[in-house]
Amino acid sequence: MGEDKVLIVVPAYNEQDNILKVIKEIKEDLPDYFNLMVINDCSTDKTKEILEKNKIPHLNNIFNMKYAMSVQTGIKYANINNYDFVILMDADGQHIAKEALKLYQQIKKSHEDIIIGSRYLKDFGYPCPKLRRLGTKIFEILINLLCHQKIVDPLSGFQCINKKVIQEYAKKNGYPEYPDANLIISMLFKGFKIKEIPVKMRIRETGISMHAGIKEPLKYMINMIYTILVIVIQNIGKKKINYLK
Amino acid sequence: MKKIYFIVLTLLIGLYIINDVRRNRFSIKESIYWIFGVGIMLFLAVFPQCIDGIATFLGISYPPSLLFVICIIFLILINFRNSKKIVILQEEVIELEQNITILKGNKK
């Protein structure tokens, strides 16, 4: 099991309060052959200094690329350096390092391409804003309708992907701006296998979430539904082939 | 007299575009569409009666509205083309940024 090259990608934007805790946890709870790469997305606070001072491997984006493109930078790094698996984790401390090991063990055990850490699959008492839960529910239904698969937490950024998926994501335009339900649907259409496993998650301690406010979630919702519509149109012809398999 | 006024105006717009191209402030490739537009404008300024002719042919009762329709279609097309180009540029910038970031990181 030890010969796999595993990279943990942690995109960070203004996470000076959380980043050290997250990294400490990763180093303590995960095996040594798990490499870490923090993508500092042009943070305006002391994130960069903290990373440099503590000699944590990191890449510095030249400009603010937003979450998804930072993740893609990490995936491209993994692709260039020939990693077998990538684990995506957030830098805000929501994702627990120990649970990442579960994702990795699951992907090793099964023949799935993407393992999603889901916070709703089993009730660990994760408190969630009602609006967000509603949004998640809508996407769950959409995925079920289109792909006949139940993905309870499509908004989860806590994932483990294998080499095939790394290569797919590393392509130009291979990773959308909002990589959630639309990405899952498009990957399912392409014939990749996705599985969810229940994980524990923490609540954000400090800092501001990307999905805060009213305007942004609304914009997000409209954007997402439109994107899914386009993906469906793109796959009208191809979809049948996947069903036949 | 009105005719000369419009001809001069059109020529000035044409000169403005050509001058920018001459000084390398605007690309030759892009300017072709605008010069083409100026050409049509000039033609209509010299022979304004064609508008009436085309309008009657198309069954448009108020000829100047034909002019607006042509202009708006032209502008929408150019705008959509620009929008597409911006998207392509954005994607290329992202690609470049990511590659530079990774290269810089690998060098360290």
Side-chain angles (χ1 to χ4, degrees):
Chain A
M1 218 166 131
E3 61 264 39
D4 279 328
K5 278 181 89 181
V6 185
L7 184 74
I8 303 165
V9 171
V10 183
Y13 175 64
N14 289 354
E15 296 285 1
Q16 57 178 8
D17 305 317
N18 296 319
I19 192 83
L20 266 187
K21 258 186 275 171
V22 172
I23 284 154
K24 206 178 133 215
E25 215 183 82
I26 290 173
K27 283 194 171 152
E28 280 172 2
D29 294 342
L30 293 177
D32 289 334
Y33 62 92
F34 277 43
N35 291 339
L36 171 74
M37 184 54 79
V38 180
I39 318 291
N40 171 30
D41 192 13
C42 230
S43 299
T44 47
D45 63 359
K46 291 208 175 70
T47 306
K48 194 181 168 190
E49 282 82 355
I50 291 172
L51 289 169
E52 267 162 14
K53 217 173 87 190
N54 293 286
K55 297 213 170 64
I56 295 156
H58 65 284
L59 297 173
N60 290 308
N61 277 350
I62 300 160
F63 12 81
N64 185 266
M65 301 289 283
K66 301 282 156 64
Y67 173 78
M69 292 306 128
S70 307
V71 172
Q72 202 194 19
T73 307
I75 291 170
K76 280 184 177 173
Y77 175 84
N79 191 33
I80 289 169
N81 292 295
N82 239 331
Y83 277 94
D84 298 310
F85 297 101
V86 165
I87 297 170
L88 305 174
M89 262 180 93
D90 287 354
D92 54 11
Q94 272 191 67
H95 301 157
I96 301 163
K98 262 188 198 137
E99 304 286 312
L101 199 61
K102 265 198 219 166
L103 296 182
Y104 172 69
Q105 281 158 353
Q106 180 67 32
I107 208 164
K108 283 290 288 179
K109 211 163 49 181
S110 61
H111 294 286
E112 262 87 24
D113 302 299
I114 302 171
I115 302 289
I116 302 172
S118 168
R119 76 203 92 170
Y120 306 126
L121 213 55
K122 214 191 254 174
D123 193 19
F124 290 119
Y126 181 82
C128 183
K130 276 208 179 85
L131 203 69
R132 194 186 160 118
R133 192 75 190 91
L134 180 77
T136 316
K137 198 81 204 165
I138 292 170
F139 291 128
E140 185 195 321
I141 293 165
L142 265 175
I143 294 171
N144 207 346
L145 269 174
L146 293 168
C147 308
H148 309 289
Q149 191 172 348
K150 207 172 172 206
I151 304 283
V152 188
D153 191 5
L155 302 190
S156 172
F158 196 26
Q159 302 184 358
C160 183
I161 59 178
N162 69 5
K163 202 162 195 163
K164 234 163 80 189
V165 183
I166 294 173
Q167 282 162 358
E168 185 69 27
Y169 283 173
K171 281 182 191 161
K172 192 181 168 201
N173 294 340
Y175 208 68
E177 194 187 343
Y178 299 110
D180 297 324
N182 53 342
L183 190 62
I184 291 173
I185 290 173
S186 109
M187 290 310 268
L188 282 171
F189 277 162
K190 279 178 194 157
F192 288 92
K193 288 190 204 104
I194 302 177
K195 205 194 164 189
E196 260 186 321
I197 60 164
V199 291
K200 279 180 220 154
M201 277 195 204
R202 283 192 210 102
I203 319 156
R204 270 190 82 92
E205 283 156 12
T206 48
I208 309 153
S209 159
M210 334 183 259
H211 297 300
I214 292 182
K215 204 181 121 204
E216 281 305 311
L218 199 71
K219 216 173 101 188
Y220 172 85
M221 238 9 223
I222 293 168
N223 206 314
M224 192 55 68
I225 287 166
Y226 174 74
T227 315
I228 291 171
L229 212 75
V230 174
I231 292 169
V232 170
I233 293 167
Q234 281 173 338
N235 284 283
I236 281 172
K238 300 174 204 160
K239 220 175 119 183
K240 280 172 194 152
I241 306 162
N242 278 333
Y243 280 132
L244 284 175
K245 264 184 196 170
Chain B
M1 209 43 215
K2 255 183 201 163
K3 220 167 148 177
I4 291 167
Y5 174 73
F6 282 113
I7 292 169
V8 169
L9 189 73
T10 316
L11 285 177
L12 278 176
I13 296 171
L15 275 176
Y16 176 67
I17 296 167
I18 287 170
N19 191 35
D20 270 6
V21 177
R22 195 177 59 86
R23 291 191 176 189
N24 280 329
R25 282 191 299 209
F26 191 43
S27 84
I28 298 170
K29 214 176 121 203
E30 275 303 289
S31 66
I32 208 167
Y33 301 98
W34 294 101
I35 291 296
F36 186 68
V38 169
I40 292 173
M41 269 168 72
L42 193 65
F43 180 77
L44 292 176
V46 180
F47 309 106
Q49 56 277 24
C50 345
I51 280 290
D52 296 300
I54 299 167
T56 4
F57 178 73
L58 292 174
I60 296 165
S61 55
Y62 183 58
S65 61
L66 176 67
L67 216 60
F68 289 121
V69 169
I70 294 170
C71 280
I72 291 167
I73 291 173
F74 182 70
L75 290 175
I76 286 175
L77 284 178
I78 284 203
N79 207 352
F80 184 61
R81 234 180 110 261
N82 288 345
S83 191
K84 277 201 287 194
K85 291 217 158 177
I86 290 171
V87 170
I88 293 168
L89 285 174
Q90 259 175 347
E91 287 166 358
E92 284 167 352
V93 167
I94 289 172
E95 193 72 18
L96 283 174
E97 198 278 349
Q98 288 175 329
N99 284 332
I100 293 170
T101 305
I102 293 166
L103 282 174
K104 267 165 77 186
N106 272 350
K107 228 175 155 187
K108 261 191 270 178

